[in-house]
Structures are given as structure tokens and as C-alpha cells.
């Protein structure tokens, strides 16, 4: 069975999202689709998965033009899709077990009165298909008790259980740590061996290198290049960014100032090794480590979410011990949290409304000022939108993310921590965000936490690796290597 697209075009109002794209993922291959935010990748996936109908062009199933009237039609044809922001596709209010077995529940196979407990064996089997070992207590608890990465894995496991012929993964690792991503890659390789066609969308070129048999590069709704193995990363980047490839280079000439924050004798967990850490003015500190290494605990301590079990924090020479985010904000310490649900975009609001949500009104004397700053933000982060008044849901996933992060960059801070700010954000935009963040770092200490080593290497001036709640490496980015950081992370 093959599913293919022939000359597919799709517009949303005046935006031409796809302009005649033909693509055929073959059985037993991983076809990576890459391209900048707003290039049309998710639109393409939605057409393949029956969520959207093309304006012109065709979906072919085994060479025959076919109309998918709904996602269910596509699933009957063997197409399973893990959509972008898959963690949001888990259903709050239902247990993890129910979320893992939604397909059975929806089909009524287990009857309307299936108790979560009766679902346990099936749920466990679905989870283990992806190497997830969950306790009964976890399976029976509400799915929202799990972190973003686990919820994302649950959405993937659910699709795998359907034994698809074409599996579409739209940025499946954006919420996963390197170790979790590796686990997913093993599964993807196994499916490839079994003859499944896999369409894999990612902004992480390291993954594309590691997994893809072919890479399709999209730009402005068109397929601009396809590379078969062996391809180089440089080929892919050049095709992706076009003339922008030259323009966005990693900034250099980093000079750190005085320490703004001093963390001394800190323990993140009751039994972890104590450590010291300075956050300096004018420096972007990249904080990395596996999930559970203590990144969130460290940011949480600064932001008043989870006080340190032991140790002191001084800010500009004064000891602080924020017990609540409001207190931290009072000190000028801001956190862009990892869980987007906690700072959700407001559907129906404009880009401008969403971008300025974090601002205390008094920073603005007039609406004109606010509008101007939002226009600057759209320009600096290259947000692809019809304008500040466009509704937020008209933006592609990565462009929405730029607005979420940009919202905090408009607000003056002494310490700004960003927890996983680059989820689903393209290479060019990561550097744009980094440049904006670096501009702010002139008067502030900036911490960027990411589980992805490549991302911290891209943006940080200095890199700190956490493992088991303690600092195991603290190096200038210029002296760091991917290999050494990965080793330290797993120490
Ligand atoms: N429902 C919609 N209404 C209006 N415009 C839309 C809608 N969905 C997508 N678009 C526009 O279509 C274009 C392609 O969006 P798409 O989501 O396919 O991009 P993408 O390549 O998946 O980007 P990302 O990497 O950010 O996820 C963008 O310009 C986007 O703003
Ligand atoms: Mg997308």
C-alpha cells in the first residue's frame, strides 16, 4: 500500500500554504520533511491524514485518486498521524490507561462501561510498544499528571498500536530528551524494517541525519529539493533557508560581566551533590541534561516554584529565597515555563493580544507603543503572519511558539529563564530568538534550558550540564563538543 500526493495545492484566505506538492513516501523508508516555520509541512500532513482536503491536486492510494473525507477514512487506508504538539492530543480528565486505549474506547469494543482497571493489560501493552513502562498507579491516574514528554510518547504509542502502513510523525521529539528520542528512533527503525512508510517532520537536523533515507525540503509551500542518502547537512540547510543561510550565523565575541545570581552550596534533591553556579550579566547560559537531571528544579528554585532543599541564592548581592512566582517576579526574575498549557495561547485573540499578554499594562502609555513593539517582535523573530491583528491560530506551530517566547522578551527582566523555548522552532528562528535574547542579556542574566545538546550549542555562550541534580560540566560553548556534553549528560 502506498499513499502519495500529486500536485496538491491548499490556501487559507490569501495565504498559499501549498503550491503544487507531489510526494510519495515509499514502503520501508523514512522520508524526512524539513523546512522553515510556515513552509507548509503540517498542512501537507493534514492532507495526507484526511484532516484537510486539498483545493486542487490529488491524494493517491495505491496510485488511485482517493478522497479522504475525514481522518477516519485515512486511518482505514492505514495512515496514522502523530500531530504536532501531540501532548495536547491527550485528553485531560481521562486516565493514562484510557488515553492509551482511546481507539478501542471510541470503537465501543470494550463496551461503554469499560473501567480503567479493565483496560490495564491492553494499555500496558500499548505503552510497552514504545518501551514505556508505567506503573498501575500511573496508568490509573489522570493523564495530566504526566509531564509533556510522557504525554507526547503516549500519543505516539497510541498510533503505533494501530499498525499503520504510513506513519506520519510531525515533530515527534520536540518535547523529548535525547534519551527518549533515541528510544523513539529505535522504534522508527524497526517499523522501517517491517516495511512501514514513515514521514518524519523535524527541525532537528541531527535526527534527520540519523534517521532519514530521503529528505524533502520545503520552502514557501513548495518542494524545493529532495536528497537521497548520502546527503550533507550543509546541502539541507542551504536548500531550507535559501539566501538566509548566509545571514544567520552564530554570534561571537561573547564577554560576560559580573555575576547577577550566585547559587552556592545548592542541592536540588535531598541526596544530590551540592554545587555552586553563577549567572552573569551579558551571558546566555545553556542548561542541559536528561529529563529528571534537575533542570526544572533549578529553574523552579529561582522562580519560587520549588525552594532548594539546601543552599543559598543571592541576586545582586542580596540573598533571596522566593516562595512564590509573584515574589520572584518582584525581584525581576522571570521564567518562560516548559509546559505551554500553563501559558496557553488564547485562541481567537490576535498575534498582538497574545504577544503582550505577559506585559503589565503600565509599561505602556499608549496602545500605539504596544503595537510598535509587537511589530518589532514580528520582524526580529521573523514571525510569519499577515500582521499583528491576525488570529493566532492562523500561524504555523513554530510561529505560534515564537509569539509565546516573544511575549516574555518584551518584558524587562534582571534574570530571564527560558525552559525549552525552541520546541518546534526552525533553525533560522532559533538563531533569531537567540539574537533577541542576547540583546536582552546586556542588562540581564539569561538561562536557556534544553534537553537537546545541539540547541544549547547553537545558542549558548556557556554550557552547564546537570546530571543527577548536580553540575557535572561547566564550559564555554566555544570549548564544548557535542560528544563531551552527551557523555557528561549520561554520567
Ligand atoms: N487554519 C489556518 N488558517 C490560516 N492560515 C493557516 C492555517 N493553517 C496554516 N496556515 C498558514 O499556512 C502556512 C503553512 O503552515 P503550516 O502549519 O503547514 O507550516 P509548517 O511548515 O508546519 O510550520 P511549523 O514548522 O511552524 O510547524 C503558514 O503561513 C500558516 O500561517
Ligand atoms: Mg507544523
Amino acid at each position: 500500500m502506498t499513499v502519495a500526493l500529486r500536485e496538491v495545492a491548499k490556501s487559507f484566505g490569501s495565504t498559499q500554504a501549498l503550491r503544487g506538492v507531489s510526494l510519495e513516501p515509499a514502503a520501508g523508508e523514512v522520508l524526512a520533511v524539513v523546512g522553515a516555520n510556515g513552509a507548509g509541512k503540517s498542512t501537507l500532513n493534514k492532507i495526507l491524514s484526511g484532516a484537510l482536503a486539498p483545493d486542487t491536486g490529488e491524494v493517491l492510494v495505491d496510485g488511485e485518486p482517493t478522497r479522504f473525507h475525514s481522518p477516519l477514512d485515512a486511518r482505514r487506508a492505514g495512515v496514522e498521524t502523530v500531530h504536532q504538539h501531540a501532548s495536547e492530543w491527550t485528553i485531560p480528565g481521562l486516565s493514562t490507561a484510557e488515553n492509551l486505549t482511546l481507539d478501542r474506547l471510541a470503537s465501543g469494543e470494550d463496551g461503554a462501561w469499560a473501567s480503567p482497571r479493565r483496560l490495564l493489560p491492553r494499555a500496558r501493552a500499548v505503552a510497552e510498544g514504545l518501551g514505556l513502562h508505567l506503573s498501575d498507579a500511573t496508568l490509573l491516574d489522570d493523564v495530566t499528571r504526566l509531564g509533556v514528554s510522557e504525554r507526547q510518547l503516549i500519543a505516539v504509542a497510541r498510533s503505533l498500536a494501530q499498525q499503520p502502513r504510513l506513519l506520519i510523525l510531525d515533530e515527534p521529539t520536540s518535547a523529548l530528551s535525547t534519551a527518549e528520542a533515541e528510544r523513539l528512533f529505535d522504534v522508527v527503525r524497526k517499523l522501517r524494517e517491517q516495511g512501514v512508510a514513515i514521514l518524519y517532520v523535524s527541525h532537528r537536523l541531527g535526527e534527520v541525519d540519523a534517521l532519514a533515507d530521503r529528505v524533502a525540503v520545503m520552502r514557501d509551500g513548495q518542494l524545493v529539493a529532495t536528497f537521497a542518502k548520502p546527503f550533507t547537512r550543509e546541502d539541507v540547510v542551504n536548500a531550507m533557508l535559501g539566501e538566509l543561510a548566509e545571514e544567520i550565523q552564530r554570534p561571537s565575541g561573547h564577554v560576560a560581566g559580573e555575576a547577577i545570581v550566585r547559587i552556592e552550596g545548592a542541592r536540588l534533591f535531598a541526596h544530590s551533590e551540592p554545587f555552586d553556579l553563577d549567572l552573569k550579566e551579558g551571558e546566555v547560559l545553556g542548561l542541559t541534561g536528561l529529563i529528571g537531571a534537575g533542570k526544572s528544579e533549578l529553574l523552579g528554585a529561582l522562580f519560587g516554584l520549588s525552594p532548594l532543599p539546601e543552599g543559598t541564592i543571592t541576586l545582586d548581592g542580596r540573598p533571596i529565597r522566593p516562595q512564590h512566582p509573584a515574589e520572584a517576579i518582584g525581584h525581576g526574575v522571570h521564567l518562560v515555563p516548559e509546559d505551554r498549557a500553563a501559558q496557553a495561547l488564547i485562541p481567537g485573540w490576535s498575534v498582538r493580544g497574545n504577544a503582550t499578554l505577559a506585559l503589565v499594562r503600565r509599561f505602556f502609555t499608549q496602545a500605539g507603543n504596544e503595537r510598535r513593539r509587537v511589530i518589532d517582535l514580528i520582524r526580529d523573530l521573523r514571525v510569519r503572519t499577515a500582521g499583528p491583528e491576525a488570529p493566532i491560530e492562523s500561524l504555523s506551530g513554530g510561529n505560534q511558539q515564537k509569539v509565546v517566547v516573544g511575549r516574555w522578551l518584551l518584558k524587562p527582566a534582571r534574570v530571564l529563564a527560558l525552559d525549552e523555548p525552541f520546541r518546534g522552532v526552525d533553525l533560522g528562528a532559533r538563531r533569531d530568538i537567540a539574537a533577541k535574547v542576547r540583546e536582552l542579556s546586556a542588562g540581564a542574566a539569561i538561562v536557556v534550558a534544553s534537553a537537546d545538546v545541539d540547541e544549547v550549542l547553537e545558542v549558548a555562550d556557556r554550557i552547564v550540564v546537570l546530571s543527577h541534580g548536580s553540575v557535572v560540566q561547566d564550559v564555554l560553548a566555544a570549548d564544548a563538543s557535542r560528544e563531551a556534553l552527551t557523555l557528561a549528560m549520561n554520567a
Side-chain angles (χ1 to χ4, degrees), residues 367-383:
N369 186 6
E370 177 184 301
R371 198 182 141 85
R372 207 162 46 243
R373 293 183 63 172
V374 175
I375 290 172
D376 287 350
L377 187 81
I378 290 172
R379 185 200 56 217
D380 292 348
L381 300 188
R382 293 182 233 258
V383 178

Side-chain angles (χ1 to χ4, degrees), residues 41-42 84 170-171 396-398:
K41 305 177 299 293
S42 293
Q84 196 167 3
D170 198 346
E171 297 181 31
S396 75

